Amino acid sequence: MLLLLLTAPQPIGTGDAARAGAAANESTEEAGLSVVVLDFLCCSVKSMKCREKEEEEKKRSREGGKTEEEELDGFLCLVTSPIEEEEEEEEATSMSSPRSRANMVHVYNCHPYASQQIVQVEQEPGLVCCGGGALFVVACGGCKVEAYSVEQEGCPLICRFSTMGTVRSIQHSKTGDYLVTIEEKNSATYLRAYTNWRYQAEGKARVGVRLLGHLLRGASVRGGVQMEIIEIPLSERPVAVACCSVTGDLLVGCEKTLVLFTLRRPNQQNLQSQSPWPNTQQSSSQSQGQTSSSNQNVSILDFERSVIVHLPKMSFKQVALCGGYVAVQAELEVLVLKLEASSEPQTPDDSSDTNTCDDPLEDQSDLLLIPRQQELLGDRAKDCDIPVSIEKTGLEDKGQYTLSYVLFRRFTPEFFQGCSVEETQLHSLQLYPLYTRSQSASTEEPACVFCFFSLPNAGYLYSLKGGVELLSAYQYPEKVLEAVLTDTLLHVITKNALQCFTVRCAAVAARIDDPYIDTTMKACPPCSLEVCALRMQLFIGLRSVCVYGRHVILLSAADMETPDESERSTQRRSRKWTISSPKETSAAAHGWNLYVVDTVSPLVLYREMVEYSRHYSETNPQAQSLRHLLSEAHLLLCASSLQQSREGDHTVSLQKDTEGQTEGQTEGQTETQTETQSDRQELQEALRQNCAQLGDCYSRASQKDCHQALPYYRMSGLSVTEVIVRNRPLPSSLHSYGLGFLFYLKHFLLEETEQSLSQETADEVVDIFSQSDPSEIISVCASPSMTNISPARTLRVFQHLEATAGVSVPLTITMATMMLRLDDLPQFTQLMDRHPEMLLVYGFIDEPRLLLHGGGGGPHTLVRPISLTRQLAQSQPGLLVAGMVALHENNKAQLEQADHIFKELGCENCLLVDFWEATLMASSQEAVIQELLFRLASVYIERLTHTNSDAHSGLPRTRPQRRPLKSADDLINSSSHYGSLYPWLTVLCPAHTTSFQHQEALHKLQSLLCGPSMSIGSVLPLLERLSEDTLWGFSLHLLCATRRGQFDSSIEKLLDRCPQAIIAFANHHLQDRHMALWWKKLLPELCNRTRAAGDNSILLAALKETLVVVATETSPAQFLELVPDDGTASYFLPHLMTCSQRHLLA
C-alpha cells in the first residue's frame, strides 16, 4: 500500500494554512492531478518510526542530552523581567510556526486565576460538564450523575440521579436547563434528555420516562413535580450531541447524518415561574422548565424533529449548534453551515445535494489520500467537496429550511513535537454567541457568533456574522488536549498545565454595538490585534476542561511517567515559564482530582495589567508592548461591560416577573442592584482611565497611529488642561510634543465647543504651537476656546512669526484683532488698511473664525459675533457684508446663522437687508434665491407701510437708521433679479413725490416685480396689506395683475386711475401675441370714455396714439370695421388714408 499526496485543482482559501499547502504543492498546481510518491511505504511504518524516535529522545534526556521537546519549549519564553531590553523581550515573547499564520503571541506575567478548590467526589469522574451554576459528574463506567453547585464555597452536592445506561457523552443546555446524554446499554446506544433534574434535591424519587412527543398525563402529572427522562429515538447511532445556548434546540450527529430537534414548551404559563434554586444565575433566569414545589405544577419540555441533514462524505467527531449555525468537525475538517427557516415551499431540487463532487479515486482503498489544506470563507465555502442535502421530515407544512455554506477548513496531518501524525486531529469545536449592549434581554438572535476549533498545536477563532473572518490563530508551545472559549479568555489545557489566551470577541461586538467606533469620536483596539498568553497554572495529568462563568473546572488523573521524568519535566518548564504551583491535593490516596479554578474579576486583572504596564512606561514609554498590553486591558473591560449590560437587562426582566415577593427578598434585590450599580460605575471609571493611558501611548506614536490619541482622549473624559499636563515634556527630556498630542489639540481647537481655556492654559497652547507647528497658530488663536488668551503676549508671538515667515492676510487680521482687544484703534486701522478689501475677504474665507464663532455645521448651530465683527459693523460695514456673503457662498456659514449674527449686532434693519441683497446677487442656488426674494419683498413692503402711513401703530417701526449700501439703481444695474422699471411706472409714480427711504423701497420692490425671478404667487398675500388708494400702491397691484396676464382688467383700471400712462403701458405690454388688444380692448374703451367725457385732452391724445397703432397693424377693411358708427369722418379719415397707403405699399 502506497501513501500518495493528491493535489486537486480546487479553490484555495486565503488562510495561512492554505497558503502553506499551496507553497508546498506549487509545482503541481498546473498539472491538475499529480501523484507524488513519498519516502515511506505506509502510515503504520511511519508511526513505528515516530514512536522509536520518541523513545530515543527519552533515552537521550535521561543521559542529560537536550530533546527536541526542550528545544521547542525554548521557542516560547515568558517575560519575567520587564526591565529587559525591548528587542530581546519581543524576540523572546514570539511564538510563531512556519506552518501557520505568522502571528506573534505576547506573554505577560499576569495572574488570571484567583483560587481553586477541590470538589469532593466519591468515585473517579469519567465525564464532566457544567451549566446553570452546576457541575455534572459522571463516574467512570457508572450510570449515575451527580450535580454540584460551583457557585457556593466547597461545591456542595445539589442532587444525584441514576441514568438508564452507561453515559458516553453528556451536555447541558442553558436554555431549558436540561441534560442530554448518549448512553450505552446491552450493546445498544441511546439518546436521552433529562428535564426537571433539580427536583431530585428534594428527595423525591419519582421519575417519569416517556418517548419524544408523548407527554405524561393523568396520575403522573397530578403526583407533582418530577424529573422526566425523554427517550429520543434515532435511526442511526448517535456519535455527538450539542445544545444551542440561544434557543435550547438539540443537534445530534450520527455517523453520516445531522438531526435537529427543536425545543418545545407546551406549558408556557408554568415555564415563567421562579426557580427554587436561588444560587443559580444563568440557569435560574433562562431555564423555562422549572416551577416551585409549592404550586405543584409540572414544567414540561419536549422536542420536535425539525430537519435532517445528510453529509455522506464526512465522519463526525464533534458537532455544535448556535442561533441557526451548525458546525461539524471531522478528524481534520471543519464545516459550518447556516440553517434558516423559510415559509416558501421547496422544489424537489432544493433538497438535493448542494455539492455533487465525485472523488475519481474513491474506490482505490489501497491508497491513503491526503488532500491539501483549504480555507474557504463565506460563499466560497460551497466550493468544497463536501455534499450536503436536507431530508424531508414530514413537517413541511410548518416551514422549510434553507441551507448555505459559511466556512470550510481542512488541514493535513503534520508531525508536531509530542504528537504523532495519527494524533494530529481537531478538537474543541465550539460555536459561541455574544450579545451587545443595544440588545434587549429578550433578544434571541445574538449580534455575534464565533467559531473556534483547535489542533494539538494551534487554535483558530473565526467570526461568522457580518462576513466570515479569521480573527486569531493561536500557536501553542506544546500539545493541547482541550480548549474552551469565553467572552474574555481562551482556556487551554496541556498534560500538566492550564493556560489562557486573550480573545478578540469584544472587539467585534464593540464595532457592532457602537457605529462611532473607529471614528474621531470613539476607538477600540482592532480585531487583528496580536493575542497574548497570560501566566499558566501547573497541574498533574489534566484530562478535560469546561467553564461556567468565572469557574474553570478541571479533571485530572495520575500521570504514569516515572518520578525522574516528572521532576525533570517540571524543572525544564520552570526554567522557561513563570508559573503558579497548584495547591496541595486532597489527602485521599486516589490518583485523580476534580478542581474548580476561579478566574479573577476583569477589574482585578485589569489593575494587574496596568501595574505591569508601568514597568514599560518607565523604561520605554513608546514601546509596542506597552500599547499592546493596554489594548488587551481595554478589550478586557469592553467584554466585561458587555456582560454587565446583558446581566443588568436580565435583572430588570426578572424584577417584572417577581412582583409580590417578601420584604426580605425585596431588600436582597435592592442590595444586589446597588452592588451592580457600584460595579458598573467602577468599570466605567476603569474604562476612562484605560482610555487616558491609551491616549498617552498614541500621543507620542508615529504618524501612522498618532490619530488614535484623539478618540481615546475623548473617551477618557479628561479636560484639555489635564491632557496638556499629561503631555508636558520633562525638563530633562529631549522629546518635544508628540504628533498624537498635537493632533488631538488641533482637533479640539477646531471644534466649536463652549469650553474656554484659562489664560494660563491658552498661553501654553500658543507656546506649544509656536514651537511645534507655527503654521497652525492662526487657526489656534481663532478658536472659541482661546478667548481668554493674553493679547499682548500673543501679539509678540505674531510679530516674531511675521518677521520669520512674512506677511499674510490671515496673520494681519489676527494681529488687528489683538490690537482691537488692546483698544489700540489707530494700530487696528493701520493693520486693516494694509490689504485691499477683497484680499481681506479671502482671509475670512481661509479662516472663518476670524469673523464669527460657530459657523458651518447645520442651520441651527449656534453662532455668535466676535469683537472684530462688532468693530467692522461700525467702521467698515461693507467689508462685513462682503465677508458674510463670501462665507455663505463657500458653505462656511448658513443663511440662518448670518441672520443671527446681524441680529446680535443690532443691524437687522439695515446690514441684514444689505446682506440679503448682496447674497441675492451672488447666489446661484434656486432655493436660496426664492427665499431671499420673499424676505426682501417682505422688508420692502414693511418699509413702504411704515414710512408712508402711521396707521399700523401696533407694529414696530423699522425705519432704516442709515442709507443702504446698494441703491435701487445699483441693484438694477448689477443684478439680473432686479429688472428695469417699466416706463409707465415712471408716469404713474413720478420721483421725488415721497421721502428717500420710501422711494428706495418702492423702486426696489417694483424692480423685483419687474424682474424675471420673483414668484408673483408668493408675494400676493403680502401685497394685501397695501391699499390701492395711493398711486404707488396701485402701481404694485397693477404690476402683479400684469405679470399674471390680466391685461383687460389692467387697461380698465389704468384708464380709471391714470389714463396718461395708458399709452406707455400699451406700448410696453401690448406687443406680439397681445397686439390685438390695441383694437379689441383699448380702442373701444377709449372711444367709449371719450364719448362720455367730452373734451378730455388726455383721452383724446391716447385715442389718437391708439389709432396710429391700429392703422399701422390692420388692413383698410379691418380699420373701417373698427370705426364707431357715430364717429366723425373727418377725425378718422386721415388714419384710414394712412392705413390704405401702407397697405398699397405693402
Side-chain angles (χ1 to χ4, degrees):
M1 183 172 62
L2 296 179
L3 178 66
L4 302 182
L5 177 64
L6 299 186
T7 305
Q10 49 192 346
I12 306 299
T14 59
D16 294 290
R19 289 196 293 269
N25 299 282
E26 184 177 358
S27 62
T28 63
E29 288 184 355
E30 296 180 358
L33 182 65
S34 62
V35 180
V36 180
V37 181
L38 304 181
D39 295 334
F40 44 85
L41 297 178
C42 62
C43 289
S44 60
V45 177
K46 182 175 180 183
S47 301
M48 294 175 60
K49 288 184 178 181
C50 292
R51 287 193 291 270
E52 290 175 0
K53 187 174 182 180
E54 292 175 0
E55 293 296 333
E56 290 177 2
E57 290 175 353
K58 292 182 179 179
K59 184 177 180 181
R60 287 170 52 195
S61 66
R62 297 189 186 99
E63 297 173 356
K66 193 172 185 178
T67 66
E68 290 183 11
E69 183 178 358
E70 288 176 323
E71 294 174 358
L72 189 63
D73 284 347
F75 196 54
L76 174 64
C77 298
L78 272 178
V79 181
T80 58
S81 175
I83 313 297
E84 295 176 356
E85 295 293 334
E86 180 72 12
E87 296 179 358
E88 297 178 0
E89 181 180 79
E90 293 185 357
E91 182 179 357
T93 57
S94 64
M95 294 191 301
S96 59
S97 171
R99 296 186 298 267
S100 303
R101 174 186 292 265
N103 240 0
M104 177 176 291
V105 178
H106 297 256
V107 186
Y108 298 115
N109 188 19
C110 298
H111 302 72
Y113 304 112
S115 62
Q116 67 186 42
Q117 53 185 326
I118 296 176
V119 183
Q120 301 300 323
V121 184
E122 296 179 357
Q123 299 180 359
E124 179 179 359
L127 296 173
V128 294
C129 75
C130 57
L135 167 63
F136 305 95
V137 182
V138 181
C140 287
C143 300
K144 182 175 292 186
V145 177
E146 296 180 344
Y148 298 87
S149 175
V150 296
E151 297 183 332
Q152 290 183 337
E153 187 68 25
C155 299
L157 178 68
I158 298 177
C159 64
R160 60 168 55 94
F161 55 89
S162 298
T163 60
M164 301 180 66
T166 303
V167 179
R168 300 303 182 192
S169 175
I170 184 170
Q171 293 286 335
H172 176 268
S173 174
K174 180 174 66 174
T175 302
D177 193 29
Y178 66 87
L179 290 169
V180 60
T181 60
I182 297 178
E183 304 176 10
E184 287 186 3
K185 187 174 183 180
N186 299 329
S187 300
T189 306
Y190 302 90
L191 181 67
R192 296 185 174 101
Y194 294 79
T195 66
N196 294 334
W197 56 269
R198 294 181 185 270
Y199 298 107
Q200 292 296 306
E202 299 180 359
K204 296 186 177 181
R206 291 181 58 87
V207 176
V209 182
R210 62 181 176 89
L211 281 174
L212 176 75
H214 294 72
L215 303 180
L216 295 177
R217 294 179 176 85
S220 298
V221 177
R222 293 193 297 270
V225 177
Q226 62 181 6
M227 185 177 77
E228 283 190 353
I229 303 176
I230 305 175
E231 290 275 358
I232 303 177
L234 295 169
S235 60
E236 300 181 27
R237 183 177 66 88
V239 177
V241 66
C243 303
C244 178
S245 60
V246 178
T247 62
D249 295 345
L250 178 63
L251 180 68
V252 183
C254 302
E255 293 181 352
K256 300 292 182 181
T257 305
L258 293 175
V259 184
L260 177 64
F261 294 90
T262 303
L263 179 65
R264 300 299 182 192
R265 302 173 177 84
N267 195 5
Q268 289 293 342
Q269 68 263 14
N270 293 333
L271 297 179
Q272 305 298 329
S273 302
Q274 179 72 14
S275 171
W277 304 99
N279 294 328
T280 60
Q281 292 178 353
Q282 293 178 341
S283 175
S284 63
S285 61
Q286 296 184 6
S287 171
Q288 286 125 350
Q290 306 171 21
T291 58
S292 64
S293 59
S294 60
N295 56 23
Q296 297 296 314
N297 289 329
V298 178
S299 174
I300 301 175
L301 294 181
D302 200 16
F303 298 92
E304 181 180 75
R305 193 191 314 265
S306 297
V307 64
I308 301 175
V309 181
H310 294 275
L311 292 90
K313 289 190 177 182
M314 203 168 183
S315 298
F316 309 141
K317 297 296 182 182
Q318 279 185 285
V319 296
L321 176 65
C322 180
Y325 288 92
V326 174
V328 292
Q329 173 187 293
E331 289 187 354
L332 291 171
E333 295 173 332
V334 173
L335 177 64
V336 181
L337 306 171
K338 185 70 165 66
L339 282 174
E340 294 180 311
S342 174
S343 59
E344 298 179 359
Q346 286 184 313
T347 62
D349 293 339
D350 294 335
S351 60
S352 62
D353 290 353
T354 57
N355 194 324
T356 58
C357 298
D358 295 329
D359 192 346
L361 301 178
E362 186 177 14
D363 298 331
Q364 302 183 17
S365 58
D366 58 337
L367 298 178
L368 177 61
L369 306 180
I370 304 180
R372 61 188 301 176
Q373 299 191 36
Q374 274 188 306
E375 183 188 46
L376 302 175
L377 308 180
D379 294 336
R380 295 186 59 196
K382 67 178 181 296
D383 297 329
C384 68
D385 56 354
I386 306 296
V388 181
S389 61
I390 297 179
E391 177 185 340
K392 295 183 177 180
T393 63
L395 301 174
E396 282 72 21
D397 56 331
K398 295 186 178 181
Q400 300 290 339
Y401 281 90
T402 59
L403 182 145
S404 59
Y405 287 82
V406 177
L407 166 66
F408 177 75
R409 186 75 188 263
R410 173 181 288 151
F411 300 89
T412 56
E414 297 178 352
F415 175 77
F416 176 69
Q417 189 66 36
C419 181
S420 64
V421 174
E422 290 80 1
E423 293 175 339
T424 304
Q425 296 183 6
L426 290 166
H427 60 78
S428 304
L429 177 66
Q430 188 176 356
L431 290 176
Y432 191 80
L434 195 61
Y435 296 86
T436 62
R437 277 184 290 263
S438 58
Q439 293 181 295
S440 63
S442 60
T443 302
E444 287 191 353
E445 185 72 16
C448 315
V449 177
F450 303 95
C451 179
F452 176 81
F453 49 86
S454 180
L455 288 168
N457 64 323
Y460 301 90
L461 177 62
Y462 286 85
S463 174
L464 301 182
K465 297 196 73 172
V468 186
E469 177 187 4
L470 175 61
L471 295 181
S472 305
Y474 298 88
Q475 302 301 319
Y476 307 137
E478 54 184 316
K479 178 182 177 181
V480 166
L481 304 179
E482 283 188 15
V484 181
L485 178 68
T486 66
D487 288 356
T488 55
L489 296 172
L490 172 69
H491 301 276
V492 302
I493 60 169
T494 63
K495 189 176 182 180
N496 295 316
L498 167 66
Q499 189 185 359
C500 66
F501 295 83
T502 55
V503 296
R504 300 290 167 257
C505 300
V508 177
R511 284 164 171 80
I512 296 176
D513 183 52
D514 195 339
Y516 291 101
I517 294 292
D518 298 328
T519 64
T520 58
M521 301 300 297
K522 294 182 180 179
C524 181
C527 302
S528 59
L529 183 70
E530 300 163 350
V531 297
C532 78
L534 303 180
R535 186 167 178 157
M536 68 161 43
Q537 189 90 1
L538 286 185
F539 290 88
I540 298 176
L542 292 179
R543 297 296 177 86
S544 65
V545 59
C546 57
V547 176
Y548 173 75
R550 286 169 48 193
H551 310 287
V552 181
I553 292 90
L554 302 173
L555 174 61
S556 67
D559 198 350
M560 299 306 294
E561 66 179 1
T562 63
D564 293 339
E565 292 176 351
S566 178
E567 181 181 357
R568 184 162 47 251
S569 176
T570 303
Q571 290 176 355
R572 180 174 67 247
R573 193 183 311 279
S574 299
R575 291 194 302 268
K576 299 175 177 62
W577 292 84
T578 300
I579 56 179
S580 298
S581 299
K583 296 181 179 180
E584 294 295 331
T585 59
S586 62
H590 57 70
W592 48 266
N593 270 318
L594 191 58
Y595 300 95
V596 176
V597 181
D598 294 337
T599 58
V600 299
S601 68
L603 280 174
V604 173
L605 185 56
Y606 160 75
R607 294 190 185 101
E608 187 174 2
M609 287 182 172
V610 172
E611 184 66 26
Y612 192 75
S613 67
R614 291 176 182 171
H615 300 291
Y616 292 110
S617 60
E618 292 173 358
T619 56
N620 187 1
Q622 301 182 29
Q624 183 71 22
S625 295
L626 173 61
R627 189 188 310 168
H628 182 272
L629 183 57
L630 293 176
S631 298
E632 289 286 5
H634 186 88
L635 291 178
L636 185 69
L637 295 176
C638 286
S640 180
S641 177
L642 291 174
Q643 185 177 8
Q644 276 194 3
S645 176
R646 186 71 180 172
E647 292 175 354
D649 292 341
H650 184 65
T651 302
V652 172
S653 65
L654 279 181
Q655 291 173 0
K656 298 179 180 178
D657 299 332
T658 56
E659 296 179 357
Q661 293 179 331
T662 63
E663 182 178 353
Q665 291 174 327
T666 305
E667 292 178 356
Q669 284 189 357
T670 303
E671 293 178 359
T672 303
Q673 295 175 13
T674 305
E675 292 177 0
T676 303
Q677 186 67 22
S678 176
D679 292 342
R680 286 189 178 185
Q681 293 176 356
E682 190 175 3
L683 180 62
Q684 293 301 320
E685 180 61 27
L687 268 171
R688 287 190 290 268
Q689 293 177 1
N690 176 259
C691 290
Q693 294 164 345
L694 281 170
D696 293 340
C697 285
Y698 285 107
S699 66
R700 297 187 180 277
S702 61
Q703 189 172 4
K704 177 183 177 182
D705 302 319
C706 65
H707 64 280
Q708 293 287 348
L710 174 62
Y712 280 117
Y713 273 140
R714 279 178 169 168
M715 295 165 64
S716 69
L718 295 175
S719 64
V720 181
T721 304
E722 292 171 328
V723 174
I724 292 174
V725 172
R726 297 172 74 100
N727 284 272
R728 284 174 183 165
L730 298 175
S732 58
S733 175
L734 298 177
H735 298 287
S736 59
Y737 297 98
L739 294 176
F741 169 66
L742 293 176
F743 183 82
Y744 160 79
L745 198 56
K746 193 183 305 181
H747 268 263
F748 170 80
L749 295 173
L750 286 175
E751 293 176 351
E752 301 294 337
T753 63
E754 297 297 327
Q755 181 181 356
S756 297
L757 303 179
S758 63
Q759 180 175 341
E760 180 182 359
T761 304
D763 291 341
E764 185 175 357
V765 170
V766 173
D767 293 338
I768 291 172
F769 280 94
S770 63
Q771 298 172 16
S772 304
D773 195 357
S775 61
E776 296 290 338
I777 195 169
I778 296 175
S779 298
V780 167
C781 293
S783 171
S785 303
M786 302 286 286
T787 54
N788 296 326
I789 198 173
S790 173
R793 190 174 184 275
T794 307
L795 190 59
R796 291 193 294 270
V797 175
F798 286 149
Q799 290 171 347
H800 175 72
L801 178 63
E802 187 180 51
T804 55
V807 178
S808 67
V809 175
L811 179 59
T812 300
I813 298 175
T814 310
M815 293 175 64
T817 304
M818 295 298 112
M819 288 294 184
L820 188 62
R821 294 181 60 180
L822 292 173
D823 295 329
D824 193 345
L825 292 181
Q827 285 295 325
F828 166 79
T829 305
Q830 181 180 354
L831 288 170
M832 294 298 290
D833 290 341
R834 276 187 180 182
H835 306 285
E837 185 175 288
M838 186 54 64
L839 291 182
L840 294 176
V841 171
Y842 289 147
F844 293 139
I845 296 175
D846 292 339
E847 184 49 71
R849 293 181 299 175
L850 293 174
L851 196 60
L852 56 90
H853 284 167
H860 303 292
T861 304
L862 180 64
V863 293
R864 58 186 183 275
I866 60 176
S867 57
L868 178 62
T869 314
R870 300 183 185 279
Q871 178 62 32
L872 292 179
Q874 299 177 7
S875 59
Q876 294 178 276
L879 176 59
L880 175 60
V881 170
M884 293 302 299
V885 171
L887 294 183
H888 176 267
E889 291 305 303
N890 287 274
N891 298 322
K892 301 296 180 66
Q894 303 295 324
L895 193 62
E896 291 79 3
Q897 294 173 339
D899 295 348
H900 180 73
I901 289 292
F902 287 108
K903 291 177 181 178
E904 285 287 320
L905 295 173
C907 305
E908 63 270 22
N909 298 326
C910 48
L911 287 183
L912 178 57
V913 180
D914 293 333
F915 166 74
W916 289 346
E917 293 172 346
T919 306
L920 180 63
M921 291 189 292
S923 180
S924 58
Q925 304 178 34
E926 184 62 28
V928 174
I929 291 173
Q930 293 301 323
E931 175 67 20
L932 291 175
L933 287 172
F934 181 79
R935 292 185 182 186
L936 289 171
S938 302
V939 170
Y940 296 152
I941 292 174
E942 189 75 11
R943 288 181 178 178
L944 288 173
T945 303
H946 291 156
T947 55
N948 180 69
S949 174
D950 293 334
H952 305 282
S953 58
L955 298 176
R957 305 182 68 84
T958 58
R959 298 178 183 274
Q961 298 177 358
R962 58 163 187 82
R963 297 175 69 92
L965 295 177
K966 294 285 186 179
S967 65
D969 293 337
D970 296 334
L971 293 175
I972 292 172
N973 295 330
S974 58
S975 175
S976 60
H977 303 292
Y978 287 87
S980 299
L981 296 181
Y982 299 154
W984 58 270
L985 289 173
T986 306
V987 179
L988 190 62
C989 303
H992 310 298
T993 58
T994 58
S995 64
F996 173 79
Q997 291 85 357
H998 185 274
Q999 192 73 24
E1000 280 293 306
L1002 177 61
H1003 284 179
K1004 289 180 179 180
L1005 182 56
Q1006 289 176 340
S1007 178
L1008 284 180
L1009 294 175
C1010 294
S1013 304
M1014 172 66 77
S1015 172
I1016 299 301
S1018 63
V1019 78
L1020 276 177
L1022 301 177
L1023 289 177
E1024 293 178 357
R1025 300 169 52 188
L1026 299 179
S1027 172
E1028 296 187 22
D1029 295 339
T1030 60
L1031 285 179
W1032 59 266
F1034 170 72
S1035 68
L1036 295 175
H1037 286 279
L1038 192 63
L1039 271 174
C1040 291
T1042 304
R1043 287 283 306 275
R1044 298 172 66 184
Q1046 300 174 357
F1047 295 107
D1048 291 359
S1049 61
S1050 298
I1051 292 173
E1052 295 177 1
K1053 291 180 180 180
L1054 192 58
L1055 288 174
D1056 292 338
R1057 296 291 301 274
C1058 187
Q1060 60 266 32
I1062 190 63
I1063 297 302
F1065 176 88
N1067 286 331
H1068 187 80
H1069 294 291
L1070 303 185
Q1071 301 293 330
D1072 301 327
R1073 60 189 182 95
H1074 301 296
M1075 181 64 70
L1077 291 176
W1078 280 91
W1079 54 86
K1080 290 184 178 181
K1081 180 63 177 177
L1082 182 57
L1083 181 61
E1085 283 289 335
L1086 288 174
C1087 291
N1088 293 334
R1089 293 173 183 271
T1090 303
R1091 183 184 303 111
D1095 297 334
N1096 190 323
S1097 60
I1098 298 177
L1099 292 177
L1100 289 175
L1103 178 59
K1104 184 176 181 181
E1105 293 291 334
T1106 303
L1107 289 174
V1108 170
V1109 174
V1110 171
T1112 306
E1113 298 295 332
T1114 59
S1115 64
Q1118 292 173 333
F1119 187 85
L1120 285 175
E1121 292 180 358
L1122 295 174
V1123 174
D1125 295 339
D1126 57 347
T1128 305
S1130 60
Y1131 185 82
F1132 291 98
L1133 185 59
H1135 300 288
L1136 178 60
M1137 294 185 63
T1138 302
C1139 180
S1140 300
Q1141 293 175 358
R1142 182 191 61 79
H1143 184 70
L1144 291 175
L1145 293 176

